[in-house]
Amino acid sequence: ETGVTQTPRHLVMGMTNKKSLKCEQHLGHNAMYWYKQSAKKPLELMFVYNFKEQTENNSVPSRFSPECPNSSHLFLHLHTLQPEDSALYLCASSQHTSPSTDTQYFGPGTRLTVL
Amino acid sequence: SQKIEQNSEALNIQEGKTATLTCNYTNYSPAYLQWYRQDPGRGPVFLLLIRENEKEKRKERLKVTFDTTLKQSLFHITASQPADSATYLCALGGGSSNTGKLIFGQGTTLQVKP
């Protein structure tokens, strides 16, 4: 589990707040991902970064803004969120994003509650 | 659109029995299928990967099958233990209609009772 770390582990914020989630991977991988996991729903892919370049934005609202300064770090900036955005936000990394047999390594997640 | 269904939300079995979890998919021909384990409050952990040209894959007490005709994967845990209690996710990827990202099922929560 120390391969991919996420901070904070828990976050409570109001709808007018601005906060950021941080992810760091120590595996030397080239691709990083943000997923949203809501209760009783499948993991929803939000963003994909490959070699620091965003390669996928899965129709995510603009109140979520990703940033990838290098291959090891990934941020998710949050602003003016809605209560329905409350969920577990998971970061993952993989060696590549090619359609091959890439295994994804997940962090422990940030449990976000929007009041 | 691509759809993945895992057999049930929850599965309860007795310790020592074999647990069998099902993953069905439609409108998709994946090149590979992965199974992950997720414990409460944690991220998913990779367990096994099986390719479309493989019928079966084993790892210790785990066995995965992949039937591309039925569009189904079965995940077996033999001699189950209470420590196997968790949510198990199947994920599909690759294939001609996929950009390389993994598509996850909603998961099946397994409870192994002593």
PDB file of all heavy atoms in Angstrom, chain A residues 49-76:
ATOM      1  N   TYR A  49      -3.584  10.592 -16.836  1.00  0.00           N
ATOM      2  CA  TYR A  49      -2.367  11.301 -17.227  1.00  0.00           C
ATOM      3  C   TYR A  49      -1.323  10.284 -17.633  1.00  0.00           C
ATOM      4  O   TYR A  49      -1.118   9.282 -16.954  1.00  0.00           O
ATOM      5  CB  TYR A  49      -1.823  12.152 -16.069  1.00  0.00           C
ATOM      6  CG  TYR A  49      -2.485  13.495 -15.953  1.00  0.00           C
ATOM      7  CD1 TYR A  49      -3.688  13.634 -15.273  1.00  0.00           C
ATOM      8  CD2 TYR A  49      -1.917  14.624 -16.527  1.00  0.00           C
ATOM      9  CE1 TYR A  49      -4.311  14.876 -15.180  1.00  0.00           C
ATOM     10  CE2 TYR A  49      -2.524  15.863 -16.433  1.00  0.00           C
ATOM     11  CZ  TYR A  49      -3.729  15.975 -15.756  1.00  0.00           C
ATOM     12  OH  TYR A  49      -4.331  17.203 -15.662  1.00  0.00           O
ATOM     13  N   ASN A  50      -0.675  10.558 -18.756  1.00  0.00           N
ATOM     14  CA  ASN A  50       0.396   9.703 -19.239  1.00  0.00           C
ATOM     15  C   ASN A  50       1.608  10.590 -19.492  1.00  0.00           C
ATOM     16  O   ASN A  50       1.539  11.518 -20.294  1.00  0.00           O
ATOM     17  CB  ASN A  50      -0.040   8.988 -20.513  1.00  0.00           C
ATOM     18  CG  ASN A  50       0.899   7.873 -20.897  1.00  0.00           C
ATOM     19  OD1 ASN A  50       1.637   7.345 -20.076  1.00  0.00           O
ATOM     20  ND2 ASN A  50       0.863   7.488 -22.159  1.00  0.00           N
ATOM     21  N   PHE A  51       2.704  10.320 -18.786  1.00  0.00           N
ATOM     22  CA  PHE A  51       3.902  11.156 -18.902  1.00  0.00           C
ATOM     23  C   PHE A  51       3.548  12.630 -18.683  1.00  0.00           C
ATOM     24  O   PHE A  51       3.950  13.503 -19.444  1.00  0.00           O
ATOM     25  CB  PHE A  51       4.579  11.003 -20.269  1.00  0.00           C
ATOM     26  CG  PHE A  51       5.232   9.675 -20.477  1.00  0.00           C
ATOM     27  CD1 PHE A  51       4.607   8.694 -21.223  1.00  0.00           C
ATOM     28  CD2 PHE A  51       6.461   9.390 -19.924  1.00  0.00           C
ATOM     29  CE1 PHE A  51       5.208   7.467 -21.426  1.00  0.00           C
ATOM     30  CE2 PHE A  51       7.067   8.173 -20.116  1.00  0.00           C
ATOM     31  CZ  PHE A  51       6.439   7.199 -20.882  1.00  0.00           C
ATOM     32  N   LYS A  52       2.773  12.901 -17.673  1.00  0.00           N
ATOM     33  CA  LYS A  52       2.352  14.246 -17.253  1.00  0.00           C
ATOM     34  C   LYS A  52       1.323  14.878 -18.165  1.00  0.00           C
ATOM     35  O   LYS A  52       0.827  15.962 -17.876  1.00  0.00           O
ATOM     36  CB  LYS A  52       3.550  15.201 -17.137  1.00  0.00           C
ATOM     37  CG  LYS A  52       4.654  14.774 -16.218  1.00  0.00           C
ATOM     38  CD  LYS A  52       5.694  15.876 -16.057  1.00  0.00           C
ATOM     39  CE  LYS A  52       6.305  16.264 -17.383  1.00  0.00           C
ATOM     40  NZ  LYS A  52       7.253  17.390 -17.240  1.00  0.00           N
ATOM     41  N   GLU A  53       0.970  14.267 -19.263  1.00  0.00           N
ATOM     42  CA  GLU A  53       0.001  14.839 -20.177  1.00  0.00           C
ATOM     43  C   GLU A  53      -1.372  14.211 -19.955  1.00  0.00           C
ATOM     44  O   GLU A  53      -1.506  12.985 -19.881  1.00  0.00           O
ATOM     45  CB  GLU A  53       0.433  14.600 -21.635  1.00  0.00           C
ATOM     46  CG  GLU A  53       1.763  15.235 -22.006  1.00  0.00           C
ATOM     47  CD  GLU A  53       1.729  16.734 -21.890  1.00  0.00           C
ATOM     48  OE1 GLU A  53       0.701  17.331 -22.267  1.00  0.00           O
ATOM     49  OE2 GLU A  53       2.728  17.334 -21.412  1.00  0.00           O
ATOM     50  N   GLN A  54      -2.388  15.063 -19.890  1.00  0.00           N
ATOM     51  CA  GLN A  54      -3.733  14.522 -19.698  1.00  0.00           C
ATOM     52  C   GLN A  54      -4.197  13.866 -20.986  1.00  0.00           C
ATOM     53  O   GLN A  54      -4.213  14.500 -22.053  1.00  0.00           O
ATOM     54  CB  GLN A  54      -4.687  15.651 -19.300  1.00  0.00           C
ATOM     55  CG  GLN A  54      -6.095  15.144 -18.995  1.00  0.00           C
ATOM     56  CD  GLN A  54      -7.015  16.255 -18.483  1.00  0.00           C
ATOM     57  OE1 GLN A  54      -6.713  16.910 -17.519  1.00  0.00           O
ATOM     58  NE2 GLN A  54      -8.110  16.464 -19.161  1.00  0.00           N
ATOM     59  N   THR A  55      -4.552  12.599 -20.910  1.00  0.00           N
ATOM     60  CA  THR A  55      -4.983  11.866 -22.097  1.00  0.00           C
ATOM     61  C   THR A  55      -6.462  11.553 -22.071  1.00  0.00           C
ATOM     62  O   THR A  55      -7.024  11.101 -23.063  1.00  0.00           O
ATOM     63  CB  THR A  55      -4.201  10.554 -22.254  1.00  0.00           C
ATOM     64  OG1 THR A  55      -4.397   9.762 -21.068  1.00  0.00           O
ATOM     65  CG2 THR A  55      -2.726  10.811 -22.456  1.00  0.00           C
ATOM     66  N   GLU A  56      -7.107  11.770 -20.927  1.00  0.00           N
ATOM     67  CA  GLU A  56      -8.534  11.478 -20.850  1.00  0.00           C
ATOM     68  C   GLU A  56      -9.191  12.353 -19.800  1.00  0.00           C
ATOM     69  O   GLU A  56      -8.667  12.515 -18.700  1.00  0.00           O
ATOM     70  CB  GLU A  56      -8.752  10.005 -20.490  1.00  0.00           C
ATOM     71  CG  GLU A  56     -10.202   9.584 -20.424  1.00  0.00           C
ATOM     72  CD  GLU A  56     -10.511   8.402 -21.317  1.00  0.00           C
ATOM     73  OE1 GLU A  56      -9.593   7.835 -21.918  1.00  0.00           O
ATOM     74  OE2 GLU A  56     -11.704   8.057 -21.401  1.00  0.00           O
ATOM     75  N   ASN A  57     -10.315  12.911 -20.175  1.00  0.00           N
ATOM     76  CA  ASN A  57     -11.187  13.623 -19.254  1.00  0.00           C
ATOM     77  C   ASN A  57     -12.561  13.038 -19.494  1.00  0.00           C
ATOM     78  O   ASN A  57     -13.183  13.251 -20.536  1.00  0.00           O
ATOM     79  CB  ASN A  57     -11.178  15.123 -19.554  1.00  0.00           C
ATOM     80  CG  ASN A  57     -12.155  15.893 -18.672  1.00  0.00           C
ATOM     81  OD1 ASN A  57     -13.105  15.333 -18.126  1.00  0.00           O
ATOM     82  ND2 ASN A  57     -11.926  17.174 -18.521  1.00  0.00           N
ATOM     83  N   ASN A  58     -13.018  12.253 -18.541  1.00  0.00           N
ATOM     84  CA  ASN A  58     -14.235  11.479 -18.751  1.00  0.00           C
ATOM     85  C   ASN A  58     -15.481  12.308 -18.445  1.00  0.00           C
ATOM     86  O   ASN A  58     -16.291  11.930 -17.602  1.00  0.00           O
ATOM     87  CB  ASN A  58     -14.174  10.233 -17.862  1.00  0.00           C
ATOM     88  CG  ASN A  58     -14.812   9.040 -18.532  1.00  0.00           C
ATOM     89  OD1 ASN A  58     -14.879   8.944 -19.740  1.00  0.00           O
ATOM     90  ND2 ASN A  58     -15.281   8.107 -17.716  1.00  0.00           N
ATOM     91  N   SER A  59     -15.622  13.446 -19.153  1.00  0.00           N
ATOM     92  CA  SER A  59     -16.801  14.311 -18.980  1.00  0.00           C
ATOM     93  C   SER A  59     -16.991  14.729 -17.531  1.00  0.00           C
ATOM     94  O   SER A  59     -18.108  14.689 -16.997  1.00  0.00           O
ATOM     95  CB  SER A  59     -18.065  13.607 -19.487  1.00  0.00           C
ATOM     96  OG  SER A  59     -17.928  13.235 -20.831  1.00  0.00           O
ATOM     97  N   VAL A  60     -15.911  15.120 -16.907  1.00  0.00           N
ATOM     98  CA  VAL A  60     -15.957  15.518 -15.502  1.00  0.00           C
ATOM     99  C   VAL A  60     -16.283  17.007 -15.400  1.00  0.00           C
ATOM    100  O   VAL A  60     -15.734  17.809 -16.156  1.00  0.00           O
ATOM    101  CB  VAL A  60     -14.599  15.238 -14.817  1.00  0.00           C
ATOM    102  CG1 VAL A  60     -14.636  15.646 -13.353  1.00  0.00           C
ATOM    103  CG2 VAL A  60     -14.234  13.769 -14.959  1.00  0.00           C
ATOM    104  N   PRO A  61     -17.175  17.397 -14.476  1.00  0.00           N
ATOM    105  CA  PRO A  61     -17.505  18.822 -14.319  1.00  0.00           C
ATOM    106  C   PRO A  61     -16.266  19.662 -14.003  1.00  0.00           C
ATOM    107  O   PRO A  61     -15.321  19.179 -13.373  1.00  0.00           O
ATOM    108  CB  PRO A  61     -18.480  18.823 -13.128  1.00  0.00           C
ATOM    109  CG  PRO A  61     -19.035  17.448 -13.087  1.00  0.00           C
ATOM    110  CD  PRO A  61     -17.962  16.547 -13.583  1.00  0.00           C
ATOM    111  N   SER A  62     -16.314  20.911 -14.417  1.00  0.00           N
ATOM    112  CA  SER A  62     -15.147  21.780 -14.277  1.00  0.00           C
ATOM    113  C   SER A  62     -14.831  22.140 -12.832  1.00  0.00           C
ATOM    114  O   SER A  62     -13.759  22.690 -12.558  1.00  0.00           O
ATOM    115  CB  SER A  62     -15.356  23.065 -15.086  1.00  0.00           C
ATOM    116  OG  SER A  62     -16.508  23.740 -14.623  1.00  0.00           O
ATOM    117  N   ARG A  63     -15.726  21.816 -11.906  1.00  0.00           N
ATOM    118  CA  ARG A  63     -15.413  22.075 -10.494  1.00  0.00           C
ATOM    119  C   ARG A  63     -14.326  21.120  -9.981  1.00  0.00           C
ATOM    120  O   ARG A  63     -13.813  21.289  -8.879  1.00  0.00           O
ATOM    121  CB  ARG A  63     -16.677  21.971  -9.632  1.00  0.00           C
ATOM    122  CG  ARG A  63     -17.409  20.667  -9.709  1.00  0.00           C
ATOM    123  CD  ARG A  63     -18.711  20.760  -8.899  1.00  0.00           C
ATOM    124  NE  ARG A  63     -19.446  19.513  -8.861  1.00  0.00           N
ATOM    125  CZ  ARG A  63     -20.368  19.180  -9.768  1.00  0.00           C
ATOM    126  NH1 ARG A  63     -20.660  19.999 -10.754  1.00  0.00           N
ATOM    127  NH2 ARG A  63     -21.003  18.027  -9.654  1.00  0.00           N
ATOM    128  N   PHE A  64     -13.982  20.117 -10.787  1.00  0.00           N
ATOM    129  CA  PHE A  64     -12.843  19.238 -10.520  1.00  0.00           C
ATOM    130  C   PHE A  64     -11.736  19.594 -11.512  1.00  0.00           C
ATOM    131  O   PHE A  64     -11.930  19.519 -12.729  1.00  0.00           O
ATOM    132  CB  PHE A  64     -13.216  17.769 -10.702  1.00  0.00           C
ATOM    133  CG  PHE A  64     -14.242  17.273  -9.729  1.00  0.00           C
ATOM    134  CD1 PHE A  64     -15.592  17.327 -10.040  1.00  0.00           C
ATOM    135  CD2 PHE A  64     -13.855  16.740  -8.506  1.00  0.00           C
ATOM    136  CE1 PHE A  64     -16.547  16.870  -9.151  1.00  0.00           C
ATOM    137  CE2 PHE A  64     -14.800  16.272  -7.602  1.00  0.00           C
ATOM    138  CZ  PHE A  64     -16.146  16.340  -7.929  1.00  0.00           C
ATOM    139  N   SER A  65     -10.566  19.940 -11.000  1.00  0.00           N
ATOM    140  CA  SER A  65      -9.475  20.365 -11.864  1.00  0.00           C
ATOM    141  C   SER A  65      -8.220  19.581 -11.516  1.00  0.00           C
ATOM    142  O   SER A  65      -7.661  19.739 -10.433  1.00  0.00           O
ATOM    143  CB  SER A  65      -9.234  21.867 -11.661  1.00  0.00           C
ATOM    144  OG  SER A  65      -8.107  22.286 -12.395  1.00  0.00           O
ATOM    145  N   PRO A  66      -7.751  18.724 -12.425  1.00  0.00           N
ATOM    146  CA  PRO A  66      -6.550  17.943 -12.125  1.00  0.00           C
ATOM    147  C   PRO A  66      -5.274  18.697 -12.478  1.00  0.00           C
ATOM    148  O   PRO A  66      -5.273  19.614 -13.291  1.00  0.00           O
ATOM    149  CB  PRO A  66      -6.705  16.720 -13.037  1.00  0.00           C
ATOM    150  CG  PRO A  66      -7.416  17.270 -14.237  1.00  0.00           C
ATOM    151  CD  PRO A  66      -8.321  18.365 -13.734  1.00  0.00           C
ATOM    152  N   GLU A  67      -4.202  18.259 -11.816  1.00  0.00           N
ATOM    153  CA  GLU A  67      -2.880  18.822 -12.118  1.00  0.00           C
ATOM    154  C   GLU A  67      -1.844  17.734 -11.946  1.00  0.00           C
ATOM    155  O   GLU A  67      -1.878  17.008 -10.948  1.00  0.00           O
ATOM    156  CB  GLU A  67      -2.559  19.981 -11.171  1.00  0.00           C
ATOM    157  CG  GLU A  67      -1.188  20.598 -11.401  1.00  0.00           C
ATOM    158  CD  GLU A  67      -0.785  21.566 -10.300  1.00  0.00           C
ATOM    159  OE1 GLU A  67      -1.591  21.789  -9.363  1.00  0.00           O
ATOM    160  OE2 GLU A  67       0.344  22.083 -10.371  1.00  0.00           O
ATOM    161  N   CYS A  68      -0.948  17.613 -12.907  1.00  0.00           N
ATOM    162  CA  CYS A  68       0.089  16.586 -12.836  1.00  0.00           C
ATOM    163  C   CYS A  68       1.437  17.232 -13.133  1.00  0.00           C
ATOM    164  O   CYS A  68       1.850  17.312 -14.285  1.00  0.00           O
ATOM    165  CB  CYS A  68      -0.210  15.459 -13.825  1.00  0.00           C
ATOM    166  SG  CYS A  68       0.851  14.022 -13.660  1.00  0.00           S
ATOM    167  N   PRO A  69       2.134  17.719 -12.107  1.00  0.00           N
ATOM    168  CA  PRO A  69       3.403  18.430 -12.339  1.00  0.00           C
ATOM    169  C   PRO A  69       4.540  17.523 -12.803  1.00  0.00           C
ATOM    170  O   PRO A  69       5.458  17.987 -13.465  1.00  0.00           O
ATOM    171  CB  PRO A  69       3.702  19.045 -10.975  1.00  0.00           C
ATOM    172  CG  PRO A  69       2.981  18.174  -9.997  1.00  0.00           C
ATOM    173  CD  PRO A  69       1.747  17.678 -10.692  1.00  0.00           C
ATOM    174  N   ASN A  70       4.470  16.248 -12.437  1.00  0.00           N
ATOM    175  CA  ASN A  70       5.476  15.277 -12.883  1.00  0.00           C
ATOM    176  C   ASN A  70       4.865  13.884 -12.800  1.00  0.00           C
ATOM    177  O   ASN A  70       3.735  13.726 -12.310  1.00  0.00           O
ATOM    178  CB  ASN A  70       6.763  15.386 -12.047  1.00  0.00           C
ATOM    179  CG  ASN A  70       6.491  15.246 -10.563  1.00  0.00           C
ATOM    180  OD1 ASN A  70       5.977  14.234 -10.103  1.00  0.00           O
ATOM    181  ND2 ASN A  70       6.817  16.289  -9.814  1.00  0.00           N
ATOM    182  N   SER A  71       5.578  12.887 -13.241  1.00  0.00           N
ATOM    183  CA  SER A  71       5.019  11.537 -13.322  1.00  0.00           C
ATOM    184  C   SER A  71       4.733  10.920 -11.962  1.00  0.00           C
ATOM    185  O   SER A  71       4.054   9.909 -11.882  1.00  0.00           O
ATOM    186  CB  SER A  71       5.969  10.619 -14.090  1.00  0.00           C
ATOM    187  OG  SER A  71       6.068  11.011 -15.424  1.00  0.00           O
ATOM    188  N   SER A  72       5.248  11.514 -10.885  1.00  0.00           N
ATOM    189  CA  SER A  72       5.067  10.927  -9.564  1.00  0.00           C
ATOM    190  C   SER A  72       3.953  11.576  -8.755  1.00  0.00           C
ATOM    191  O   SER A  72       3.537  11.021  -7.743  1.00  0.00           O
ATOM    192  CB  SER A  72       6.366  11.038  -8.753  1.00  0.00           C
ATOM    193  OG  SER A  72       7.402  10.343  -9.390  1.00  0.00           O
ATOM    194  N   HIS A  73       3.513  12.751  -9.160  1.00  0.00           N
ATOM    195  CA  HIS A  73       2.554  13.503  -8.365  1.00  0.00           C
ATOM    196  C   HIS A  73       1.312  13.845  -9.173  1.00  0.00           C
ATOM    197  O   HIS A  73       1.402  14.208 -10.342  1.00  0.00           O
ATOM    198  CB  HIS A  73       3.172  14.794  -7.822  1.00  0.00           C
ATOM    199  CG  HIS A  73       4.261  14.566  -6.840  1.00  0.00           C
ATOM    200  ND1 HIS A  73       5.579  14.341  -7.219  1.00  0.00           N
ATOM    201  CD2 HIS A  73       4.234  14.498  -5.477  1.00  0.00           C
ATOM    202  CE1 HIS A  73       6.314  14.167  -6.135  1.00  0.00           C
ATOM    203  NE2 HIS A  73       5.535  14.251  -5.067  1.00  0.00           N
ATOM    204  N   LEU A  74       0.186  13.771  -8.495  1.00  0.00           N
ATOM    205  CA  LEU A  74      -1.093  14.091  -9.130  1.00  0.00           C
ATOM    206  C   LEU A  74      -1.958  14.800  -8.095  1.00  0.00           C
ATOM    207  O   LEU A  74      -2.017  14.378  -6.934  1.00  0.00           O
ATOM    208  CB  LEU A  74      -1.778  12.807  -9.596  1.00  0.00           C
ATOM    209  CG  LEU A  74      -3.068  12.939 -10.401  1.00  0.00           C
ATOM    210  CD1 LEU A  74      -2.814  13.647 -11.730  1.00  0.00           C
ATOM    211  CD2 LEU A  74      -3.667  11.557 -10.654  1.00  0.00           C
ATOM    212  N   PHE A  75      -2.593  15.877  -8.528  1.00  0.00           N
ATOM    213  CA  PHE A  75      -3.473  16.627  -7.642  1.00  0.00           C
ATOM    214  C   PHE A  75      -4.869  16.675  -8.248  1.00  0.00           C
ATOM    215  O   PHE A  75      -5.052  16.588  -9.461  1.00  0.00           O
ATOM    216  CB  PHE A  75      -2.960  18.067  -7.457  1.00  0.00           C
ATOM    217  CG  PHE A  75      -1.630  18.154  -6.758  1.00  0.00           C
ATOM    218  CD1 PHE A  75      -0.446  18.115  -7.480  1.00  0.00           C
ATOM    219  CD2 PHE A  75      -1.565  18.290  -5.377  1.00  0.00           C
ATOM    220  CE1 PHE A  75       0.794  18.198  -6.846  1.00  0.00           C
ATOM    221  CE2 PHE A  75      -0.342  18.371  -4.733  1.00  0.00           C
ATOM    222  CZ  PHE A  75       0.838  18.325  -5.463  1.00  0.00           C
ATOM    223  N   LEU A  76      -5.844  16.842  -7.365  1.00  0.00           N
ATOM    224  CA  LEU A  76      -7.217  17.097  -7.795  1.00  0.00           C
ATOM    225  C   LEU A  76      -7.701  18.304  -7.013  1.00  0.00           C
ATOM    226  O   LEU A  76      -7.886  18.234  -5.801  1.00  0.00           O
ATOM    227  CB  LEU A  76      -8.110  15.883  -7.549  1.00  0.00           C
ATOM    228  CG  LEU A  76      -9.520  15.972  -8.134  1.00  0.00           C
ATOM    229  CD1 LEU A  76      -9.473  16.073  -9.656  1.00  0.00           C
ATOM    230  CD2 LEU A  76     -10.360  14.762  -7.709  1.00  0.00           C
TER     231      LEU A  76
END
